[in-house]
Amino acid sequence: MKSKVKLALFSAVAAGIVSLPSMAQSPAEKVYVPHGKHDEFYAFLSGGYNGQLSVYGLPSGRLLKVIPVFSVFPMNGYGYSEETKAMLMTSHGFIPWGDTHHPELSQTNGVPDGRWIFINENNTPRVARIDLKTFETTEILEIPFSGGNHASAFTTPDTKYITAATRFSVPIPQKDVPIAEYKKYFKGTLTFIRADKPGKMDIAFQVLVPGFDYDLAHCGKGPSYGWCFFTSYNSEQAHTLLEINASMKDKDYIAAVNFKRAEECIAQGKYKEVKTKYAHNYRPDEGDRIARTEWKTSVKWIIPKECPGVVYFLPTPKSPHGVDVTPDGNYIIGGGKLATVIPIHSFEKMINAIKNKQFAGEIDGIPVLKYEAINHCEIPNPCLGPLHTEFDGRGHAFTSCFISSDVVYYDYKKCKVLGHVPTYYSVGHLMIPGGDSAKPWGKYLLPMNKITKDVFLPTGPELPHAGQLYDISANVENTKPQFLLDLTELGEPHYAQAIPASILEPKSLKIFELEKNTHPYATKSEEEAKVVRKGNIVHVYMTAIRSHFTPDNIEGIKVGDTVYFHVTNIEQDWDIPHGFAVYGARTSNLLIMPGETLTLKWKPEKPGVFPFYCTDFCSALHQEMQGYVRVSPKGSNVPIKYGTGEEMHTVK
Amino acid sequence: MSWISRGLIALASLIMIGIYFQPLWKIRLYAPQYPDGLGMIIWVNKITGKNPHDLQNINLLNHYVGMKKIDPNSIPELKILPVIFGFMIFLGLLTAVTGSKKLLYAWAVLIVLIGVASLIDFWWWEYDYGHNLNPHAPIKIPGMAYQPPMFGCKHLLNFKACAFPSTGTYILAVSGTLGVLSAFVEFLRGRKKA
């Protein structure tokens, strides 16, 4: 009897071991998400030169959404509708395009909390906040005194600040100078943006630094809370042929900024208030949902000489790209892209070196610490072209290597390389869910590559970028990460973030409550639909519901008028958007979510009768969801007349 | 009247108060594009959706086949029924206090009549709702009516409609049974005495 029990127990344990998913499942089984189930993670990949943010499900690699951020998006009218145009306003005017680089989830206690995701724009320096209830861009802040906002938008563990910095140093303030006088006029700024209050994003302060190229950033956590680290290259201060001239020195610097010290200096008045002009664009996620631009007029500058202790330079080989703080906050890993080692600095050593004044020199009032005094170790011969590092939360670091097209993973405390996995090809950044936070969900690794070549079916000269998904849930001390999937990417992802679906899925909004719509031109019932002329301006208060517009016949419009179609989708059902497009309108369509009001501006140029219709297949009678607007010649006396069905209203 | 009968009719009346707080009937509609179903909940004085906007969405779908809009404000029963049941509660309590057998028998007869009439009225309302269709409806299927079921499930085009009585109706059934039981006890006692 006893032996039978033992046998049963043994069999049960054996069966359990055999069915351990990480051991028994093939890559195909691991990435297959059957109908009725959802992905385990939301992943947010920047779109690079498409200016947007892509949302994927992991592990399936399914593209879920493209969130328009810095580029117009005719698919839903972002940047075209009257409600969203202001989002793309800058001190240079309306800009229809941007270059998105580094998405960063908001954090609480160093852990991604799923409130918002931030992302930077490199070309015309800006940062954006995306709300993760609506998955919409709600706020964009322009960064003055900057050129190429690359070391951005990295957060502090409490989301108090996000970072920005000049990748391209520029004359500060801007002025007409010979480029050859770079060293004399060109400067950099490291910017701290207050980010924890939606609608109130603002520049807290800028630290003025030498004219290097400031590349990437990450903020400290745990013991290193209060500091943010920025890599720099071109400490040679070259202004031409940088590939040679900015690669002379065998070490550049990581700038370590003590933002608590900066706060002290501001409190003590040790700053300079500088006049400038930059845009703050905000589109509330409820209420009228109309984007407005607020013009800001000054920033606070902190000059390191006048605020000693605010910034130190950590020598780091060579032209470093990534600067990544370990989850415990103790180590700072530089991605020395031209270095033959991966340098790991110790935060504790850095603090001691500052205390003991172990300085190797000073640049513009910024002490340069001694490399030997701060360095924890150098990972020897890691790979070629180490760029960027993320962590699995179990003591391991994963660094992407551009030149050798692989990822090296190692024990960062013991400085011991554990292995390599290939990428296809020339990996840029990589991502582990929560991999730059205090508590990574170390299940997957996603290297994102710059070169695709033969990975997918070819599509002419222009190919999609490729990413590879690896399973790193097994102990990488003795088990190699398992290659799961190639996924196609939109634009060029420069970085990504991922968060468990269980955090975001429950709070994803289904509809906008029509009752809470406070848009001044909202039409909340068909009875309220109307057409109102004010001089040459005509406002159409229109409703859309399955399967008609009210009004769907409009007369009395004249050439020379400006017509605003304010279309309210009065549906209150999940996933019933309506589209709206007008023949010949030199703008995009509108995609109006249930309960939302969007406005299309149209300047009819010739007389005639022009159709409009619903562009989103909404219902069985979608094809019938159409209408006409009659345009009469300038000066004609056709009265305003409108309606749907039998009820036509004439305005006298 | 015995204390038992008085107690029973008092209890029947007090239980009946519950129908103001519990729904009488629930109708659920399932379709492929509504995996969680749309729901309509009928109360003694109102009709609501299972989710905030279900009623609007049911009306929206129904207009394609020409069904009338369900507008709780234009259904007189929702205004009459609360008064009728209020009266029955009052009458029941009055019976218990006065101990009048006549009132008790009247109560028992009335509650049976009200119950039967309500069910017939509900059926008729469903019949009218499912048959009295707008001749200009975009979707017309010859011979098709959309009368929802009263008990159980039924396929209506792409929807599966299911209807079942809910807590309020069960409360009424218990209340009515107790009242009728009370009348029955009195009736038997009367015969014994004679």
Side-chain angles (χ1 to χ4, degrees), chain A residues 77-97:
Chain A
Y78 180 84
Y80 294 94
S81 68
E82 295 306 300
E83 288 74 10
T84 57
K85 273 179 184 172
M87 292 304 284
L88 301 179
M89 186 52 68
T90 73
S91 61
H92 308 272
F94 176 90
I95 298 182
W97 170 88

Side-chain angles (χ1 to χ4, degrees), chain B residues 72 80 89 104 163:
Chain B
I80 298 166
I89 293 165
L104 180 62

